[in-house]
Amino acid sequence: MKNLLFSIIILLNLSLFAQKPCEYSVNVKDSIGIYKETKSNIVHERVFGNTSSYVFFALAVTDDLPTLTVQILNKSKDFIQVNCFDKSSKLFLQLDNGKIVTLIATDQENCGAPIKDDLGFNNRILSGTFMFLKGTLEDLQQSPMSSMRIKFTTET
C-alpha cells in the first residue's frame, strides 16, 4: 500500500512540474516553409536617472534552424547613442558553469528605429537575429545564464 501511495505522489509531482508546451506569438506554415517564434521575455532592465534600457529575447525556428531574436529598447529624455547590428555582431552568454556561448548575427544590418513619445522621451528600438553555433543549445539547457555581452558594429 505504501508503494502504491508513493507511486501516485511521484506521478502527480511529475505531471505538475512537467515542461509546458511553448506558447508561440507567431506560428506560420506555408509553401515557403515553417516559422515559429515564442513570446518575447524581458531578460535585462536598467533604469538610471532619465535613461532606461530593456533587453527582450524570443526564440524562433525557421525550417528547423533555431535563432534568437533580440530586441533592445532604450528610453531617455537625453540623446540616445546609436548602436547597430551587422554580420560582425555577436552575442556572448556567460553560463554559471563557466562556459561562454557565442551567437552570431545574421547578415541583416539594423541600427534601430527612433521613436518620440507623448511624454517627451526619445526611444530607440533595435532588433537583431542571432544564430546558435553547433552544440550551444545543449550548453544553454544544462546551465543558467549569469551575464551577457553584445558586440555591436560600433562597440561592445
Side-chain angles (χ1 to χ4, degrees), residues 111-134:
C111 291
I115 301 169
K116 185 107 172 158
D117 66 15
D118 297 339
L119 301 174
F121 280 94
N122 297 313
N123 302 305
R124 181 170 289 277
I125 301 172
L126 174 63
S127 295
T129 304
F130 292 83
M131 297 179 291
F132 293 93
L133 296 176
K134 188 175 183 177

Side-chain angles (χ1 to χ4, degrees), residues 59-96:
L59 289 172
V61 177
T62 308
D63 295 328
D64 295 328
L65 175 68
T67 57
L68 180 69
T69 302
V70 177
Q71 266 192 335
I72 301 172
L73 169 62
N74 292 312
K75 298 176 79 167
S76 180
K77 295 260 184 185
D78 303 321
F79 174 77
I80 296 175
Q81 179 180 348
V82 177
N83 290 317
C84 301
F85 289 134
D86 70 355
K87 63 182 178 183
S88 67
S89 298
K90 291 184 170 97
L91 180 68
F92 302 99
L93 304 175
Q94 173 79 47
L95 305 182
D96 282 346

Side-chain angles (χ1 to χ4, degrees), residues 31-51:
S31 61
I32 298 173
I34 299 172
Y35 180 78
K36 295 179 181 183
E37 184 176 285
T38 61
K39 296 188 314 185
S40 289
N41 289 301
I42 189 166
V43 294
H44 175 74
E45 175 182 14
R46 184 184 73 194
V47 178
F48 185 76
N50 288 333
T51 304

